[in-house]
Amino acid sequence: QVQLVESGGGLVQAGGSLRLSCAASGRAFSMDHMGWFRQAPAKEREFVAAIRWNGGVTEYSDSARGRFTISRDNAKNTVYLQMNSLKPEDTAAYYCAAASGYRVTWRTAALYDNWGQGTQVTVSL
């Protein structure tokens, strides 16, 4: 079991930036594949970005690609989501998630083992 705690959310104007952090504790974080998801009110949780255990492979949703960057520091047991050029439609609760072992896809929330409590991101006009 791994415990995840997100931080870094807040209120930002459109065009601004935020960096979310997800601190992990518990089992060997360095072997987990990590993902970021978000959920807006009355909407389903959606994939944002994912990074493999060694940081060598990343993938992004179409809306995140080119604006967001996922990274990890295994020595600090932390994964990050740098978000630039934020838009009002990015407003949501953002969650990090961990998965141990191979998954056929990293874009499906149900395939992750552990979740954080979420951090709210609000982008104003």
Side-chain angles (χ1 to χ4, degrees):
Q1 191 84 348
V2 62
Q3 290 76 45
L4 304 171
V5 179
E6 302 96 333
S7 61
L11 174 64
V12 63
Q13 287 189 325
S17 298
L18 282 174
R19 189 176 82 155
L20 305 183
S21 299
C22 174
S25 61
R27 68 163 183 262
F29 165 79
S30 61
M31 299 304 294
D32 283 344
H33 308 290
M34 301 297 296
W36 284 98
F37 288 75
R38 67 187 183 186
Q39 188 167 17
K43 292 189 176 181
E44 291 188 355
R45 192 165 295 190
E46 66 171 351
F47 171 76
V48 177
I51 187 167
R52 304 302 167 84
W53 69 273
N54 62 358
V57 178
T58 58
E59 57 184 284
Y60 297 91
S61 65
D62 289 344
S63 62
R65 191 176 297 112
R67 299 188 300 127
F68 296 2
T69 302
I70 188 171
S71 62
R72 66 190 296 162
D73 185 339
N74 286 345
K76 296 182 178 180
N77 287 352
T78 303
V79 63
Y80 305 98
L81 185 67
Q82 178 67 43
M83 304 188 295
N84 299 329
S85 303
L86 283 161
K87 306 175 182 179
E89 50 264 43
D90 294 318
T91 295
Y94 283 71
Y95 299 87
C96 69
S100 61
Y102 175 78
R103 300 290 190 272
V104 64
T105 176
W106 302 104
R107 296 173 177 256
T108 302
L111 297 181
Y112 285 78
D113 303 312
N114 302 101
W115 291 83
Q117 83 290 346
T119 186
Q120 179 67 35
V121 171
T122 303
V123 184
S124 63
L125 289 169

